[in-house]
Amino acid sequence: MTEMLYNCEILELGKEMACDTLVPYYDMGISCGLPNEMGDIPPELMAVPGVLTMGLNVTFVRARGDSMIGVNIHDGDLLMVESTSRFRNQDIVAVKINGEELLKSYYMDEHGRHWLVPSNDRYESILLTEDMDVKFVGRMVWNMQRDVHDSVSNIRQSIERYLNKNGETLAKPQKQLTREDVVKALLGIASQMKKGRHWLGPCRVLMDCGYVPKYRYDLFCDLVLSVLPDHKHLPQEAELRRMAVDCFSKPFKTWSDEKAPVHGQHYLGYYNAAVAMLRELPENSLKLP
């Protein structure tokens, strides 16, 4: 096994360290092109320095195909894959679709749709749907032969091409708010806030933008107090929680008079406060409903 290690791409790293850890190794590889089912072929065991595995549960596999050349993964590259079901956008993942192994970039778009994205214009993105038998096997943590490039723009471009064929477009990424953005917006709407409970509208908007954690009305009240300590109508946590029912407990884009706990002019007080907050925030922070 040690000879196998020295003949592969770990090379100089292996020569300087004791090969004291046995790791499964699949020479057949994982498809970086069209799907190619690996089946249940048992792996060989490769002896590697334990420090290389970083204490993770890993497997070594060979890349096959050319669909990931844009991120610098080429046919024959030796890849270290961690067995995990936790992923972030742009992670390169090993996944089984209907029993077939693939290596692609994972991406969840603004609509909550899950994608597997190649990095070669010859191949199309794969939109994961409920009728597919999908099992995430792990994420690639290391290409032993070369550095891997990240490119969210290429991922989005590939998804755009897929959607354009169906007359759809991918929403622009939501802007990450800064404290400066939020302080400016709160100052901008301060004069319009005539009732403390109407702050639920701006609070909901900041939750939808990801600036205030969901249901942390206490943090929102502290935020407003820190920016507008002398305001005559400061929000109170207990009052916001009392009103955060029905559609008021859900994203602002789903709000409607008929589904709210109050109606007519009472509803408009909350709605207009939220709209005012949105208009003070930078473009693309959140879309108006």
Side-chain angles (χ1 to χ4, degrees), residues 111-168:
H111 302 286
R113 296 174 298 194
H114 302 271
W115 299 84
L116 296 177
V117 186
S119 189
N120 183 334
D121 290 347
R122 292 176 53 202
Y123 300 90
E124 281 196 349
S125 292
I126 300 172
L127 174 61
L128 300 182
T129 57
E130 292 183 356
D131 61 329
M132 295 179 177
D133 180 12
V134 179
K135 179 182 178 182
F136 284 93
V137 178
R139 68 183 183 95
M140 194 201 76
V141 294
W142 200 358
N143 182 343
M144 297 301 182
Q145 289 181 274
R146 60 192 96 239
D147 292 334
V148 173
H149 308 312
D150 284 332
S151 177
V152 70
S153 62
N154 287 344
I155 290 175
R156 292 179 66 85
Q157 287 169 9
S158 178
I159 295 174
E160 284 280 13
R161 287 194 296 272
Y162 178 98
L163 292 173
N164 286 341
K165 291 183 177 180
N166 298 307
E168 300 180 60

Side-chain angles (χ1 to χ4, degrees), residues 81-85 87 92-95 135-140:
V81 176
E82 177 194 6
S83 298
T84 180
S85 58
F87 308 105
I92 297 172
V93 300
V95 60
K135 179 182 178 182
F136 284 93
V137 178
R139 68 183 183 95
M140 194 201 76

Side-chain angles (χ1 to χ4, degrees), residues 25-286:
Y25 166 66
Y26 288 92
D27 186 52
M28 282 190 65
I30 186 168
S31 176
C32 296
L34 298 175
N36 178 31
E37 185 165 326
M38 290 174 63
D40 297 320
I41 298 173
E44 299 181 45
L45 291 177
M46 177 185 290
V48 302
V51 67
L52 296 183
T53 68
M54 301 177 286
L56 303 175
N57 181 16
V58 300
T59 299
F60 284 101
V61 297
R62 290 283 179 185
R64 299 300 182 203
D66 60 358
S67 77
M68 297 301 289
I69 58 175
V71 290
N72 214 22
I73 297 176
H74 295 260
D75 185 68
D77 283 359
L78 184 65
L79 313 176
M80 186 167 76
V81 176
E82 177 194 6
S83 298
T84 180
S85 58
R86 300 179 63 183
F87 308 105
R88 299 172 298 178
N89 269 5
Q90 295 179 253
D91 276 352
I92 297 172
V93 300
V95 60
K96 276 188 175 181
I97 300 181
N98 300 327
E100 298 177 326
E101 297 268 0
L102 290 172
L103 187 79
K104 296 287 183 286
S105 293
Y106 168 78
Y107 192 80
M108 183 173 73
D109 67 23
E110 291 79 2
H111 302 286
R113 296 174 298 194
H114 302 271
W115 299 84
L116 296 177
V117 186
S119 189
N120 183 334
D121 290 347
R122 292 176 53 202
Y123 300 90
E124 281 196 349
S125 292
I126 300 172
L127 174 61
L128 300 182
T129 57
E130 292 183 356
D131 61 329
M132 295 179 177
D133 180 12
V134 179
K135 179 182 178 182
F136 284 93
V137 178
R139 68 183 183 95
M140 194 201 76
V141 294
W142 200 358
N143 182 343
M144 297 301 182
Q145 289 181 274
R146 60 192 96 239
D147 292 334
V148 173
H149 308 312
D150 284 332
S151 177
V152 70
S153 62
N154 287 344
I155 290 175
R156 292 179 66 85
Q157 287 169 9
S158 178
I159 295 174
E160 284 280 13
R161 287 194 296 272
Y162 178 98
L163 292 173
N164 286 341
K165 291 183 177 180
N166 298 307
E168 300 180 60
T169 58
L170 190 62
K172 292 183 179 180
Q174 185 172 308
K175 182 184 184 298
Q176 296 299 308
L177 294 178
T178 66
R179 180 173 175 82
E180 182 180 1
D181 294 331
V182 174
V183 168
K184 182 179 178 181
L186 292 174
L187 292 172
I189 68 171
S191 63
Q192 303 176 53
M193 304 304 297
K194 305 300 184 183
K195 294 183 179 180
R197 59 182 178 273
H198 287 170
W199 283 102
L200 180 60
C203 176
R204 184 69 252 181
V205 167
L206 290 183
M207 287 180 179
D208 294 346
C209 291
Y211 188 83
V212 173
K214 289 183 178 179
Y215 314 122
R216 291 301 306 271
Y217 302 100
D218 56 327
L219 296 182
F220 174 77
C221 292
D222 290 344
L223 171 64
V224 176
L225 179 62
S226 69
V227 178
L228 302 166
D230 300 320
H231 198 282
K232 293 183 179 180
H233 306 286
L234 290 171
Q236 301 298 319
E237 178 188 357
E239 191 169 36
L240 297 189
R241 288 190 180 278
R242 179 174 64 84
M243 294 305 304
V245 295
D246 300 330
C247 76
F248 280 179
S249 67
K250 298 181 173 72
F252 176 58
K253 66 181 181 180
T254 67
W255 282 20
S256 66
D257 191 317
E258 55 271 21
K259 295 180 180 180
V262 293
H263 308 286
Q265 290 301 315
H266 297 294
Y267 167 77
L268 288 177
Y270 296 89
Y271 180 87
N272 290 337
V275 170
M277 185 68 176
L278 273 174
R279 287 175 174 160
E280 292 289 338
L281 292 173
E283 186 179 2
N284 291 328
S285 297
L286 191 70

